[in-house]
Amino acid sequence: MKPTLLLLPLGGLLAGLLAATFIYTIEQPVYGSKAVCRPIRPEGTPGDVSHREWLNTEAGILGSAANFKRVTRDLNLEHEWKLSGSECVSKLQKTIQVSVKPDTSLIEISSRGEKPETVATLVNATLAAREAQVNDALHQDQKLHQYALQGRVTMLTESIADRRSALSNAAAKEVPAGGAT
């Protein structure tokens, strides 16, 4: 057998291994995560805002820098990714897509990446950050209503005390019925 004949299959095998290594290096697996939510429109939303407009606003807030700033803080991404806060927010804005599903009241949050756990965590944290923001706002509104109610109760209590005092003073000044003529 000639030596060149032996090198030909060996060369083909080597070329195949190089091609497979190159393709694997270039084509790393990509994982996706998707969450679909149906936000509930709060009572008291202005009537001149259509449902579609409100839904688009909610989607915009989910994909906003403010929401991603909270995700960055909640997941400690500055430490994890070794980036500044604004760089983390920028990376999240490129990584996470938020869209309103056509002809529905649903918002879809999706992301793709090389690590399935990371991708799922980012999508879930995006929803959790918005939920926390809404809960914070509701809690703040509740506190404001509570303070307003306490102020009103205090004002009414003082008003009642003033009226009782005025009635007592008026009663003391009245002449008893059957007394002096």
Side-chain angles (χ1 to χ4, degrees), residues 3 6 8 10 31 33 52-53 57 67 75 81-83 95 108-109 126 140 148 155 161 170-172 176 178:
L6 284 174
L8 192 59
L10 190 58
Y31 300 94
S33 181
R52 181 64 44 191
E53 187 178 350
T57 300
N67 198 50
L75 297 179
W81 291 348
K82 300 192 182 357
L83 297 171
T95 305
E108 181 178 282
I109 299 99
T126 300
Q140 186 66 25
M155 183 182 74

Side-chain angles (χ1 to χ4, degrees), residues 39 53-64 98-100 107-108:
E53 187 178 350
W54 174 81
L55 204 56
N56 285 327
T57 300
E58 282 298 309
I61 293 170
L62 273 163
S64 71
V98 179
S99 61
V100 176
I107 295 177
E108 181 178 282

Side-chain angles (χ1 to χ4, degrees), residues 34-39 51-52 55-56 58-60 62 97-110:
K34 187 183 295 186
V36 178
C37 68
R38 182 178 171 266
H51 183 67
R52 181 64 44 191
L55 204 56
N56 285 327
E58 282 298 309
L62 273 163
Q97 294 76 40
V98 179
S99 61
V100 176
K101 294 185 70 78
D103 303 321
T104 70
S105 291
L106 303 175
I107 295 177
E108 181 178 282
I109 299 99
S110 62

